[in-house]
Amino acid sequence: MLKKISVKHLKIGMFIHDFNMPWMKHPFLTNKKQLKSPKDLDILLNIGEGEVIIDTEKGGDSSHAYAIEEAQKEIDARLQEDIKNVKSSELGVDAESADAKGREVPFEEELRKAREIYSESRQLLKKLFEEVRLGVNIDGVRTRRTVENMIASIFRNRDALLSLARIKSFHEYTYQHCINVAVLSLNLGMHMGILQDELLYLGVGAVLHDIGKVLIPQALVDKPGPLEPGEYELVKTHAAHGARLVLQAASVPDECAAVALNHHERYNGAGYPRKLSGMEPGKFGLITGLADVYDAMTTNRSYQEGMQPHIALKKVYEWGGTLFHPIYVQKFIQCLGIYPVGSMVKLDSGEVGVVCRQNRDQILRPWVRVAMDVNGKPLIQPLDVDLRKPDKNDFKKFSKSIIETLDPRKVIISVDKLLEKESVEAPEEELKVVIG
Ligand SMILES: [Fe+2]
């Protein structure tokens, strides 16, 4: 039974169900705690006055404890208020101007810089993981600088870094996953109208979200196939290890530690380590949780084929309201598009290509990098086609449309190589000459 009680009336043996305060304000690792020693009590008394919620079925009771239902109602009201705040803050977001900020530099121009930023980030992550493994503190200053470069790139063009976040190789999975989660999170954060200072916290937290894995045996992290229950419990500790490592780092704000701790929490409370629910993981935890799952699902591992982006996105959509916050899922899909960058598609012209960037004003009509002509013959020079273009003979119709998504494993083109390749924008006539 849940009861509310003043901190000064707490006794050893009581079970704290909720500290009734943000996680960063108390020193305990989880929001639930069995009070076992006078030291636990001292720590709580030092935090100050106030009330916590105890569970009398799991621990001691007291005549000072009161109002079971009100206590639960209060938790629910707090969650509702949080959700309401997200909605009202969304009303204040000018999505168009946020998107406009990401269109200042043409895709091709930004892609060159984005490649450098991606490569620098990969080097940083590799060094960071090696150093932390040796017991050296996280280099907060370099991490912040790298994330600032990522943010600047995304502000110049939303799709350049995003198109590179498709790059995945077996050997560098962990580093690339951290960069990809940061790029996806920053894109979603920007789409939700998160401001620049907060974007920096989100990005640094996302880059470092899995740093706790350095303290897990490598063989377990890389284990091909499902984990035994005991192994899974061990892997789950990377969230708390990560939070501790981030808190120890100089020049890294505490908000970033919460990202490492909360990125495996789920909307319905089915996550770990604290089984938080609703808005409790905080907006950074919710954003990175989505980005983490989406990137992992779309990556080839030694034991599983990665899903195609649009199939992974469909899964994420199905999980809206259970594993993920429905509004965040909605924003994530708006941000990535119905056909995310990397989706292989067939056009009604018969040509085959890969979605290379979004048109956020028309998410069904992205840019497609055409790589095969109507006869299935690969083009020497890939051509970028804007599906928003009207038919030149009938301006009420579109020139080309997506008719189906294809399984890239059944097509001879490599999506990653195609996205990395230089391409040219195709005027209608030019495309016909090349195909003809
Ligand atoms: Fe993780």
Side-chain angles (χ1 to χ4, degrees):
M1 189 176 284
L2 297 180
K3 291 187 176 183
K4 206 166 185 186
I5 187 168
S6 162
V7 168
K8 65 182 179 203
H9 290 127
L10 284 170
K11 296 249 170 354
I12 294 168
M14 286 181 173
F15 183 90
I16 297 187
H17 173 79
D18 191 305
F19 282 102
N20 207 22
M21 65 180 81
W23 166 68
M24 302 304 288
K25 289 212 170 139
H26 66 75
F28 300 109
L29 183 58
T30 69
N31 231 14
K32 300 188 192 318
K33 178 151 187 72
Q34 182 94 50
L35 296 178
K36 288 180 181 161
S37 66
K39 198 176 146 207
D40 290 341
L41 274 182
D42 285 348
I43 290 171
L44 278 167
L45 287 169
N46 282 336
I47 292 171
E49 292 183 0
E51 292 177 312
V52 298
I53 293 157
I54 57 168
D55 187 340
T56 56
E57 281 167 25
K58 294 181 181 166
D61 199 352
S62 160
S63 57
H64 295 286
Y66 69 96
I68 327 135
E69 280 173 23
E70 278 99 83
Q72 185 56 54
K73 272 184 201 155
E74 208 163 294
I75 298 176
D76 291 346
R78 218 169 63 216
L79 285 178
Q80 283 303 321
E81 194 52 37
D82 279 347
I83 292 169
K84 230 166 58 198
N85 285 341
V86 168
K87 285 180 181 166
S88 54
S89 70
E90 276 181 354
L91 292 175
V93 172
D94 184 349
E96 269 308 302
S97 81
D99 278 348
K101 276 179 200 154
R103 285 203 293 261
E104 284 167 6
V105 170
F107 177 76
E108 291 75 18
E109 193 181 321
E110 185 53 35
L111 193 60
R112 282 189 284 275
K113 287 182 201 142
R115 279 202 185 97
E116 279 172 34
I117 294 167
Y118 197 96
S119 161
E120 274 167 28
S121 309
R122 192 157 48 193
Q123 284 164 23
L124 165 84
L125 263 296
K126 205 170 174 180
K127 189 163 172 276
L128 210 81
F129 270 73
E130 281 165 7
E131 285 177 350
V132 174
R133 208 165 268 136
L134 294 171
V136 178
N137 272 357
I138 293 166
D139 183 345
V141 174
R142 207 176 153 205
T143 308
R144 283 177 76 129
R145 215 178 298 134
T146 303
V147 172
E148 276 165 2
N149 288 339
M150 284 184 183
I151 293 171
S153 171
I154 298 169
F155 264 100
R156 288 190 295 264
N157 187 293
R158 292 275 295 276
D159 294 307
L161 258 183
L162 199 58
S163 75
L164 298 180
R166 278 274 311 146
I167 301 172
K168 289 132 199 256
S169 79
F170 279 141
H171 311 293
E172 296 202 331
Y173 170 73
T174 306
Y175 317 131
Q176 288 179 353
H177 174 66
C178 292
I179 301 166
N180 294 346
V181 168
V183 171
L184 288 163
S185 300
L186 287 170
N187 265 277
L188 176 56
M190 193 184 290
H191 185 66
M192 293 184 79
I194 290 177
L195 300 175
Q196 199 149 1
D197 278 356
E198 277 203 308
L199 276 180
L200 182 62
Y201 300 160
L202 171 63
V204 171
V207 157
L208 299 174
H209 79 282
D210 262 350
I211 192 76
K213 284 193 177 165
V214 298
L215 300 178
I216 309 293
Q218 197 59 35
L220 217 52
V221 174
D222 295 335
K223 184 177 173 182
L227 298 170
E228 299 295 325
E231 293 175 331
Y232 184 47
E233 287 307 311
L234 193 58
V235 168
K236 276 156 75 174
T237 61
H238 80 274
H241 285 316
R244 246 180 262 119
L245 289 168
V246 175
L247 282 173
Q248 283 164 11
S251 312
V252 178
D254 289 353
E255 286 87 340
C256 305
V259 175
L261 188 69
N262 292 340
H263 72 279
H264 285 287
E265 300 290 358
R266 296 292 172 254
Y267 184 65
N268 59 359
Y272 67 85
R274 298 187 285 167
K275 296 194 181 302
L276 302 182
S277 60
M279 286 299 296
E280 283 180 319
K283 58 187 172 194
F284 293 174
L286 295 173
I287 289 174
T288 47
L290 262 173
D292 179 35
V293 167
Y294 175 77
D295 186 67
M297 282 198 298
T298 50
T299 303
N300 285 327
R301 304 299 302 273
S302 55
Y303 52 90
Q304 70 173 35
E305 288 271 12
M307 280 181 199
Q308 293 174 59
H310 71 281
I311 294 176
L313 212 52
K314 197 169 157 247
K315 280 260 168 228
V316 167
Y317 177 73
E318 284 166 7
W319 289 327
T322 53
L323 296 182
F324 301 116
H325 193 303
I327 295 170
Y328 283 67
V329 166
Q330 192 191 325
K331 290 283 171 194
F332 192 58
I333 293 170
Q334 273 173 11
C335 172
L336 293 189
I338 301 287
Y339 304 104
V341 171
S343 303
M344 184 156 285
V345 293
K346 189 171 185 179
L347 304 180
D348 53 2
S349 58
E351 298 153 303
V352 170
V354 170
V355 174
C356 59
R357 52 188 148 137
Q358 295 298 325
N359 285 316
R360 289 187 176 82
D361 53 340
Q362 294 188 49
I363 55 175
L364 282 166
R365 303 203 152 272
W367 282 76
V368 173
R369 184 157 298 172
V370 173
M372 285 166 89
D373 68 14
V374 292
N375 300 313
K377 199 175 132 199
L379 301 180
I380 296 163
Q381 173 70 68
L383 297 165
D384 288 358
V385 178
D386 184 355
L387 295 187
R388 290 176 306 181
K389 262 191 186 169
D391 189 307
K392 61 179 178 181
N393 298 317
D394 183 353
F395 283 95
K396 287 182 186 158
K397 289 182 182 166
F398 289 102
S399 169
K400 289 167 190 187
S401 301
I402 293 171
I403 51 166
E404 64 175 311
T405 46
L406 303 173
D407 184 343
R409 285 162 291 186
K410 294 177 184 158
V411 184
I412 52 167
I413 315 164
S414 156
V415 173
D416 291 342
K417 279 188 185 149
L418 188 61
L419 286 177
E420 278 186 273
K421 235 178 179 177
E422 296 287 343
S423 67
V424 294
E425 189 174 327
E428 196 73 5
E429 302 73 23
E430 201 179 317
L431 188 61
K432 277 185 181 159
V433 170
V434 176
I435 292 167

